[in-house]
Amino acid sequence: MFKSKYIFLLSFLIQMGVMNAQNKAWTLKACIDTGIQRNIGLKQGQVSNNINAVNLKQSRDNLYPSLNLTDAPGFNFGKTQESNGTYVAQNTTSNAFALTGNVTLYNGLLNRNTINQNKYTYEAGLQGIETTKDNLSLSILTGYMQVLADYEGVDITETQIKTDEAQEAQTTIYVEAGKLTELNLLQIQSQLATDKLAKVNAQNQLILAKVNLMQLMNLPVDYSFEIERPSNIDSLLSPTALASDNIYNLAEGFLPQIKNAQLSTEATESGLKVAKSLFYPKLTMSGSIRTSGISLAYNEYYQAGPIGYVIPNPSELVTGYTVEENSSNNFSNLWQQSNNDFNQFIGFNLIVPIFTNYTARNSVAIAKLNIQNAELNEESVKIGLRQAIEQAYTNMLAAAEQYKASTELLQTEARTFGDMEKKYKIGLESATDYLVEESNYNKAQQNVVQAKYNYLLQVKLVDFYIGKPITF
């Protein structure tokens, strides 16, 4: 019994832990880290750059000599012709064994320049990955800000509904007392219904903003998803005192897209050196150790006997040695010949290009065009960065003025609405005038919320360009 209670309690605690984990309030940093970790495009970029890393390793490995071991056994079936011209049906076995090596001594520094080209390409890929991370982080920042703004939008509608309900109760009393006509009550009730609809719309907008943020993080939609609402928003509204050109000078020194463009240009410059290497001679050294054999072995021996006679007496024979030959076909001959036919070789090979169908010249021309294209791309990236900083800086200044103006307007509307509310309660103002002023006050509140988070977003964007982390 005790054990069952213990298991039930443990299961309950685990379930509560899971629910708390699912309903946790996500910080901006957690959203960015999760988005980077789960982004498919970013993972594809990392895989692609891993290929660049392998290419770099291979270009370095090309400096080493090559060494190959070959073994070529063979079997011959059917008739073969012997030295006396006759054909004999027999099966033979052969084998050739070799150890060969080759090393490039000089090729116009082709290998070294290829290594440099692949190194710059790989390093540019790393910076490209960091650029993707930055772009994703800024997108998540924008989505996070929209959720924060929509949170406050829902809060404003809830406050409006509470105010309408209070006014509905107050107006009902006045109508029953005969101080106001029933039309006033109907107008207040109509406004209450309108504000309830506004709350539903604000809640739907908040849900869509959350869905957008979760999709940026590549998370499945969870309607219990919540983010952390910082309480020190006003303290974060502190724009930099730097001018836009100073911000650009800082950003140019550390942003990965600039480094990516610069490294890509250096890679194309190394590519030009690779192309020019085709004009130079190539000197290689090769060596081998070889042996071969066949199971069919021919043997020669000399035998004493008559080889002719003395002219003109045929009976007077001349003796001497004649060459006799025979062959044997067995596996031991194969190994015997392999031992006899053992040789070593070392040599050099010099290739001097004289005419190669203009391959080298056209490769150089293409490499020069690639450099021009890379330089234009680098300039375009710098111009794009400068324009983005100028745009963000200008937006920040405009957002600051908009937030200041909307705040001042809200303060005025708050005093006006407060005065109108007092007069309405004592019957000095009609419901129509009251509702008009209430609508103006509500719009002023919404404007301040949008202006505040737009201003904060622009401040954070400019902070990013001066190297500050994207966080609260």
Side-chain angles (χ1 to χ4, degrees):
M1 183 68 178
F2 175 78
K3 184 177 180 181
S4 299
K5 289 183 178 180
Y6 176 77
I7 294 176
F8 174 78
L9 179 60
L10 179 61
S11 176
F12 176 76
L13 292 175
I14 292 175
Q15 291 179 358
M16 290 298 295
V18 172
M19 292 178 62
N20 290 334
Q22 292 176 343
N23 297 326
K24 70 175 182 179
W26 288 75
T27 64
L28 175 59
K29 184 179 184 302
C31 290
I32 291 176
D33 291 344
T34 302
I36 290 175
Q37 182 182 6
R38 299 177 62 87
N39 186 265
I40 299 300
L42 184 57
K43 292 180 180 180
Q44 289 176 326
Q46 291 170 335
V47 171
S48 297
N49 203 48
N50 288 340
I51 296 176
N52 293 334
V54 174
N55 290 334
L56 174 59
K57 183 179 183 302
Q58 182 59 61
S59 61
R60 287 171 174 166
D61 292 341
N62 288 340
L63 296 175
Y64 296 107
S66 63
L67 186 64
N68 297 292
L69 179 66
T70 59
D71 185 19
F75 305 94
N76 184 56
F77 305 93
K79 293 183 179 181
T80 58
Q81 187 178 25
E82 297 197 356
S83 60
N84 58 9
T86 61
Y87 288 89
V88 179
Q90 59 184 353
N91 301 333
T92 60
T93 303
S94 63
N95 190 33
F97 185 84
L99 182 65
T100 61
N102 187 77
V103 62
T104 299
L105 300 179
Y106 180 76
N107 60 356
L109 299 180
L110 174 64
N111 289 341
R112 290 294 181 184
N113 291 326
T114 302
I115 291 174
N116 291 334
Q117 183 181 23
N118 290 336
K119 182 185 69 173
Y120 290 133
T121 300
Y122 170 69
E123 291 175 352
L126 291 178
Q127 297 302 320
I129 292 172
E130 294 302 316
T131 300
T132 302
K133 289 181 181 179
D134 286 346
N135 293 336
L136 179 60
S137 299
L138 293 177
S139 296
I140 291 176
L141 171 66
T142 303
Y144 196 94
M145 290 295 184
Q146 187 59 55
V147 174
L148 288 178
D150 290 341
Y151 270 135
E152 290 206 22
V154 172
D155 293 343
I156 290 174
T157 59
E158 290 176 346
T159 302
Q160 292 170 356
I161 290 173
K162 291 179 181 179
T163 301
D164 292 341
E165 290 173 342
Q167 290 303 328
E168 180 187 27
Q170 184 69 39
T171 303
T172 300
I173 296 174
Y174 287 161
V175 171
E176 291 175 352
K179 295 179 62 176
L180 293 174
T181 64
E182 189 175 1
L183 177 61
N184 291 273
L185 178 60
L186 293 175
Q187 289 176 322
I188 294 295
Q189 291 174 340
S190 176
Q191 183 62 43
L192 175 60
T194 300
D195 289 340
K196 286 182 178 180
L197 175 60
K199 178 183 177 181
V200 172
N201 292 335
Q203 288 174 332
N204 289 337
Q205 186 173 341
L206 174 60
I207 291 173
L208 291 175
K210 289 181 179 180
V211 169
N212 177 65
L213 179 57
M214 284 183 280
Q215 289 179 344
L216 288 171
M217 298 163 59
N218 195 22
L219 290 176
V221 174
D222 178 6
Y223 292 103
S224 64
F225 177 84
E226 299 290 343
I227 67 171
E228 190 175 88
R229 302 175 65 177
S231 58
N232 58 336
I233 293 294
D234 291 336
S235 64
L236 299 174
L237 300 175
S238 53
T240 179
L242 295 174
S244 62
D245 54 345
N246 294 329
I247 296 173
Y248 172 77
N249 292 333
L250 287 174
E252 188 181 18
F254 72 88
L255 282 182
Q257 59 261 45
I258 298 296
K259 295 181 180 179
N260 172 269
Q262 293 171 340
L263 289 167
S264 297
T265 300
E266 293 183 19
T268 58
E269 291 173 350
S270 295
L272 176 60
K273 295 178 181 179
V274 170
K276 289 181 177 180
S277 300
L278 300 176
F279 286 110
Y280 293 92
K282 180 179 180 180
L283 177 62
T284 61
M285 182 178 68
S286 59
S288 65
I289 302 175
R290 299 178 183 272
T291 183
S292 63
I294 187 170
S295 61
L296 182 63
Y298 289 89
N299 300 314
E300 293 183 349
Y301 61 92
Y302 297 92
Q303 184 174 359
I307 60 174
Y309 60 92
V310 178
I311 298 175
N313 185 7
S315 62
E316 188 176 351
L317 300 177
V318 178
T319 61
Y321 292 93
T322 59
V323 178
E324 298 290 336
E325 61 180 35
N326 61 11
S327 63
S328 61
N329 186 9
N330 57 69
F331 197 70
S332 62
N333 292 330
L334 176 65
W335 292 107
Q336 181 180 0
Q337 291 186 51
S338 297
N339 290 330
N340 295 332
D341 188 24
F342 184 77
N343 66 86
Q344 303 84 36
F345 167 80
I346 186 171
F348 296 88
N349 186 30
L350 176 64
I351 300 175
V352 180
I354 297 176
F355 179 72
T356 57
N357 299 326
Y358 298 109
T359 301
R361 188 180 69 176
N362 291 332
S363 297
V364 169
I366 292 174
K368 290 180 178 179
L369 293 174
N370 287 336
I371 291 177
Q372 293 180 20
N373 190 45
E375 289 174 344
L376 290 173
N377 179 70
E378 183 178 348
E379 183 180 359
S380 176
V381 170
K382 290 180 178 180
I383 291 174
L385 175 62
R386 176 178 56 79
Q387 292 176 345
I389 290 175
E390 291 171 346
Q391 187 70 44
Y393 186 80
T394 304
N395 288 340
M396 182 188 69
L397 297 179
E401 293 299 322
Q402 184 181 20
Y403 178 60
K404 179 181 178 181
S406 61
T407 301
E408 292 175 352
L409 177 60
L410 176 60
Q411 293 172 351
T412 302
E413 288 293 341
R415 290 194 298 267
T416 303
F417 177 66
D419 183 65
M420 175 62 72
E421 192 173 26
K422 292 178 182 178
K423 291 181 179 180
Y424 179 74
K425 287 181 179 180
I426 61 178
L428 296 180
E429 295 289 349
S430 66
T432 301
D433 293 335
Y434 170 80
L435 294 175
V436 169
E437 193 53 47
E438 183 189 40
S439 176
N440 292 336
Y441 176 63
N442 293 336
K443 289 179 182 178
Q445 286 181 301
Q446 294 285 359
N447 289 337
V448 167
V449 170
Q450 292 298 327
K452 177 172 65 176
Y453 285 103
N454 180 51
Y455 182 27
L456 180 58
L457 174 61
Q458 302 307 323
V459 169
K460 286 298 178 182
L461 287 177
V462 173
D463 285 347
F464 164 76
Y465 288 122
I466 61 179
K468 292 185 179 180
I470 305 176
T471 186
F472 291 141

